[in-house]
């Protein structure tokens, strides 16, 4: 697989061309990826998500689809944000733009995502039971409900990044 993100401070996940998906670890075996006997695979369902983020049922939970274009993606726990590398000369340049990007983002529609805990980010074409064979990133989340919002931001003349921010919300 071609890697677009330079090795650096963060662990980056890439796809073979389709969307990335964050599946709760407890329901990973229920994600069939591009495999399956159905006329529309789980991967097909992920590709149909319109916009920057969307939710798909998986087992008794839901997976978060990072839509739009495929991009190298990492997670910044200090901002509870997935960052998507659209353009930058280096990881350092991209990360330097994150504070300005968060401050100036024009956030899109929020979705509410209920998670039972840790999620695994990977290429939606892969079955969840085979994530150890591909790029994946385990993201420790506290169980609960999150408001998820996304934006594409240009914090510098040659730096563009996508943001998918998770904000914990109370039930009610």
């Amino acid at each position: 697989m071609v890697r677009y993100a330079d090795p650096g401070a963060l662990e980056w996940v890439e796809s073979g061309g389709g969307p990335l998906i964050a599946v709760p670890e407890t329901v990973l075996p229920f994600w069939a990826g591009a495999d399956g006997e159905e006329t529309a695979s789980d991967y097909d369902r992920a590709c149909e998500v319109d916009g920057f983020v969307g939710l798909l049922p998986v087992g008794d939970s839901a997976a978060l689809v990072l839509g739009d274009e495929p991009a190298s993606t990492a997670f910044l726990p200090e901002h509870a944000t997935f960052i998507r590398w659209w353009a930058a000369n280096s990881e350092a340049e991209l990360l330097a733009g994150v504070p300005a990007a968060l401050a100036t983002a024009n956030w899109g529609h929020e979705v509410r995502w209920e998670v039972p805990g840790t999620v695994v980010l990977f290429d939606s074409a892969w079955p969840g039971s085979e994530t150890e064979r591909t790029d994946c990133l385990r993201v420790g989340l506290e169980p609960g409900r999150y408001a998820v919002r996304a934006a594409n931001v240009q914090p510098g003349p040659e730096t563009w990044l996508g943001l998918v921010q998770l904000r914990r919300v109370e039930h009610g």
Side-chain angles (χ1 to χ4, degrees):
M1 174 181 292
V2 175
R3 298 212 46 93
Y4 297 99
D6 299 330
L10 296 177
E11 184 176 345
W12 295 90
V13 175
E14 297 183 352
S15 83
L20 293 173
I21 189 162
V23 178
E25 201 167 41
T26 59
V27 295
L28 271 176
F30 297 105
W31 183 261
D35 297 342
E37 314 252 336
E38 304 294 322
T39 55
S41 68
D42 286 341
Y43 173 74
D44 293 330
R45 293 188 311 133
C47 288
E48 291 174 2
V49 167
D50 190 27
F52 298 135
V53 293
L55 298 174
L56 290 177
V58 179
D60 63 355
S61 192
L64 178 68
V65 178
L66 304 185
D68 201 29
E69 297 295 319
S72 298
T73 302
F75 188 73
L76 297 177
E78 66 274 21
H79 298 293
T81 302
F82 289 102
I83 57 168
R84 311 199 69 205
W85 187 325
W86 300 124
N89 292 318
S90 68
E91 181 182 272
E93 180 180 290
L94 184 80
L95 294 176
V98 169
L102 287 166
T104 62
N106 183 12
W107 299 102
H109 176 73
E110 271 189 4
V111 297
R112 297 295 169 115
W113 187 29
E114 186 81 31
V115 296
T118 299
V119 300
V120 181
L121 180 72
F122 60 100
D123 184 334
S124 61
W126 281 85
S129 60
E130 295 185 24
T131 55
E132 73 282 349
R133 295 181 41 214
T134 187
D135 275 352
C136 71
L137 175 65
R138 283 184 165 57
V139 177
L141 296 177
E142 291 293 320
R145 181 181 292 180
Y146 290 82
V148 181
R149 61 187 185 169
N152 282 341
V153 185
Q154 183 181 355
E158 295 183 16
T159 305
W160 292 270
L161 59 112
L163 303 169
V164 178
Q165 189 173 57
L166 312 177
R167 184 176 38 87
R168 188 87 189 270
V169 295
E170 297 299 321
H171 289 282

